[in-house]
Amino acid sequence: MTCTIVVYCGSGVRANVAAQVLADAGFATPIYNGLGVSQWTGAGYSLVNSDSAMAPCMRENGMGTCAPVTPTPAPTTASSGVFCFSGDTTVQVQNNDNSNSEDHTIVLMRNLQIGDKVLVQNGMYEHVYSFGHRDDAATAQMVQLLPMNLELSMDHMVFVEGKGPIPASMVKIGDILTIGGPIEGIRTVTVKGVYAPFTPSGTIVVNNVLASNYISFQNSPRLLIGPSKVETFLSYHLLGHIAQTFHRIWCYWLGIKDVTKDNHGFSPWSEMALKCFAWVLNQGAVVQTMILIPTLLVLSAFAALEAAVVFALMHSIGTVAVYLSVMTISVTSALSTPL
């Protein structure tokens, strides 16, 4: 019997990755992306844990699984992951590099381009160096925060007073945004077009709300380890910024233009990071720790070096040549040092 494959997880991120993996593997069976349990309950639906509620094909097979299906080429309309803003949201773009903060234009997210200088934290403007995801045709369900009408995916993070950066799914009515004011209403909307710009600071002001460039994988502001979900001190905003270090150096500091794949508008950097991290989160606590600790140490070293060089350049005590020299030495040292 052929039946629909349903994928879901806690927050929706791993479900997105799983749906894409199945489609890439060539499954002809319809794939329904159920996203996250938190999104389902957040929309007002209940959860049912009963054999009577299972699909017929799940009950008829003694093993509780559907009959195997011979894979065929993947459909062209496969599901894709979403970690973005809608195209109807707006950003402030500085009109030229030498202008003051008053000389800006309000630009729709769908019209934002790599190289545009947008408003970020602390009233600063920074260049967009890449889009982690950009797909004009994608349809997605998003959270709309009122009255600012900010539309973003459930896992995308915004800055809330007293809480720091948290996923949109955790924002509650009455919360006060760090920039943007109090939340008076929350609803779910369906949008067409998804966009995830990256800036050097990892922040961006969208619809006059300070938001992160990054997402949470676990419907939590901080990393949770193991099956028991032990909370660590590592925020997903910090993890996202550290994980993007090489991408940021490659595109922003070295000036090498980024590309997005035709397959659902993902940057290759972001797609690889998503799949790798989703795989790590599916492992046990011991494996997670063994992989995450050395990886984070290496990436943190490069992020710290990047921050030091930025400070030097801003204070006119360093040059791009010095930065490249230090980077070359650091890369050589990292490659020659066993983990």
Side-chain angles (χ1 to χ4, degrees):
M1 174 184 290
T2 301
C3 63
T4 299
I5 296 177
V6 178
V7 294
Y8 69 94
C9 65
S11 64
V13 175
R14 282 172 287 175
N16 284 324
V17 174
Q20 187 59 55
V21 169
L22 288 169
D24 291 342
F27 280 86
T29 312
I31 301 170
Y32 176 76
N33 187 348
L35 298 177
V37 171
S38 61
Q39 299 176 11
W40 179 264
T41 55
Y45 298 106
S46 60
L47 298 177
V48 178
N49 183 15
S50 169
D51 288 343
S52 63
M54 296 174 65
C57 65
M58 298 293 286
R59 295 197 304 269
E60 290 173 5
N61 188 303
M63 298 298 293
T65 58
C66 297
V69 178
T70 303
T72 59
T76 57
T77 57
S79 301
S80 63
V82 176
F83 54 105
C84 316
F85 301 99
S86 78
D88 291 327
T89 55
T90 60
V91 294
Q92 293 185 24
V93 175
Q94 199 172 48
N95 290 334
N96 61 73
D97 286 343
N98 298 318
S99 64
N100 57 44
S101 60
E102 298 301 322
D103 187 13
H104 65 262
T105 302
I106 303 299
V107 175
L108 287 172
M109 185 66 74
R110 66 168 58 91
N111 296 328
L112 188 65
Q113 301 295 322
I114 291 177
D116 285 346
K117 204 169 184 181
V118 298
L119 182 64
V120 297
Q121 63 184 2
N122 300 323
M124 303 293 288
Y125 284 83
E126 294 179 342
H127 291 287
V128 174
Y129 68 83
S130 174
F131 280 84
H133 193 189
R134 182 180 187 126
D135 191 337
D136 296 325
T139 300
Q141 188 180 64
M142 293 193 176
V143 172
Q144 185 183 66
L145 304 180
L146 303 171
M148 54 286 301
N149 292 324
L150 175 63
E151 297 169 349
L152 70 171
S153 52
M154 299 276 186
D155 299 297
H156 213 109
M157 292 183 288
V158 293
F159 290 82
V160 177
E161 288 188 6
K163 299 181 180 180
I166 66 174
S169 61
M170 295 184 66
V171 175
K172 301 182 183 302
I173 294 175
D175 281 347
I176 300 176
L177 302 176
T178 302
I179 297 178
I183 299 295
E184 298 177 4
I186 302 172
R187 62 185 181 185
T188 303
V189 296
T190 300
V191 303
K192 183 176 182 180
V194 293
Y195 309 86
F198 285 148
T199 63
S201 67
T203 64
I204 187 170
V205 176
V206 183
N207 279 36
N208 295 317
V209 173
L210 180 62
S212 171
N213 290 175
Y214 313 119
I215 62 170
S216 165
F217 277 72
Q218 298 171 297
N219 195 37
S220 165
R222 286 172 288 278
L223 175 67
L224 307 177
I225 292 293
S228 57
K229 306 296 183 184
V230 177
E231 186 175 84
T232 69
F233 67 92
L234 294 170
S235 77
Y236 265 106
H237 175 74
L238 176 62
L239 285 173
H241 200 61
I242 292 174
Q244 283 294 315
T245 299
F246 288 135
H247 188 194
R248 194 164 51 248
I249 291 172
W250 182 263
C251 296
Y252 183 72
W253 294 108
L254 300 183
I256 301 174
K257 187 176 181 181
D258 198 9
V259 295
T260 55
K261 294 175 64 175
D262 291 336
N263 185 23
H264 310 303
F266 275 107
S267 159
W269 295 86
S270 298
E271 184 177 44
M272 178 178 64
L274 278 172
K275 290 183 177 180
C276 289
F277 199 70
W279 180 86
V280 171
L281 290 180
N282 281 325
Q283 309 309 306
V286 174
V287 175
Q288 287 179 1
T289 303
M290 291 177 63
I291 293 175
L292 288 174
I293 288 179
T295 301
L296 289 176
L297 286 175
V298 172
L299 290 175
S300 296
F302 279 94
L305 176 61
E306 177 194 27
V309 172
V310 170
F311 179 84
L313 291 175
M314 290 179 64
H315 290 78
S316 300
I317 59 175
T319 63
V320 175
V322 171
Y323 171 73
L324 293 177
S325 298
V326 174
M327 283 301 304
T328 301
I329 294 172
S330 299
V331 170
T332 303
S333 174
L335 293 176
S336 61
T337 302
L339 297 176

